[in-house]
Amino acid sequence: MLIRPEPFDIEAFAPYGECFALRDLQGDRHDFAAQLTNGRSHARLNVSISRSKPQTSAIRVTALERHDHSAQAFAPIVVSRWLVAIAPNTTEGGPDFSQLRAFVMDENLGICYRPNVWHHPFACFDTPAEMLMLRWDDQTESDTTWAKTPSGSEIQISLP
């Protein structure tokens, strides 16, 4: 299956999370730009920098991740275009790979996935990229759940 990324669509992304503007805003401060939900009182806010080399061929989807107890936000520091790929849950709770949807983002928007949202790890196009990532973690395996692509199926996201 080959997925062609679409331009970002706020309404299509809304069931999975929020987006927030980063540039060309009026005023000096924009509080509560996204809701960074934390489901564990003992978890600590993980503020990290994620780096990625640009993709030069179709992205082969081998797994999706989700964070059961925390929202996860990404805010571009240095980036040209980057990928957001999401999948709904099946009735069993895993990702519905057949409904995987991909969007092309630019440096003007950040996103915040809601807890329990299946998504592809951070990937970029064109140039190396750096992202500010925020998530509540307790440094255990329960921070991130992984689901491998079903055996025998090939899923690729084409380059935009």
Side-chain angles (χ1 to χ4, degrees):
M1 174 168 74
L2 182 65
I3 298 167
R4 298 192 189 289
E6 313 164 44
F8 185 69
D9 182 321
I10 293 172
E11 288 181 27
F13 184 72
Y16 305 97
E18 304 169 272
C19 68
F20 49 93
L22 295 169
R23 290 161 180 71
D24 300 324
L25 298 173
Q26 299 294 323
D28 295 330
R29 184 174 167 146
H30 295 272
D31 293 326
F32 303 103
Q35 187 174 344
L36 193 61
T37 305
N38 174 24
R40 300 176 292 180
S41 61
H42 65 279
R44 296 182 310 151
L45 183 59
N46 180 359
V47 178
S48 69
I49 305 299
S50 295
R51 292 184 177 89
S52 181
K53 293 181 180 170
Q55 301 298 311
T56 58
S57 60
I59 298 169
R60 185 171 171 255
V61 178
T62 59
L64 296 178
E65 65 179 276
R66 76 174 181 196
H67 311 287
D68 300 341
H69 307 287
S70 176
Q72 182 181 34
F74 286 95
I77 297 171
V78 176
V79 70
S80 175
R81 296 180 305 156
W82 55 291
L83 174 74
V84 167
I86 40 94
N89 286 305
T90 63
T91 55
E92 294 82 28
D96 185 347
F97 283 95
S98 70
Q99 297 297 313
L100 186 67
R101 195 163 181 189
F103 300 101
V104 177
M105 307 293 291
D106 64 22
E107 74 279 1
N108 295 310
L109 287 177
I111 58 104
C112 185
Y113 296 113
R114 288 190 176 87
N116 296 311
V117 169
W118 291 106
H119 60 278
H120 190 274
F122 170 52
C124 65
F125 310 109
D126 308 322
T127 60
E130 290 185 354
M131 285 281 184
L132 177 69
M133 188 282 297
L134 304 167
R135 186 179 66 223
W136 295 96
D137 288 341
D138 68 0
Q139 297 182 302
T140 67
E141 287 184 12
S142 65
D143 287 337
T144 303
T145 302
W146 289 93
K148 292 183 179 181
T149 306
S151 179
S153 65
E154 170 101 3
I155 302 173
Q156 292 190 343
I157 300 172
S158 65
L159 293 183

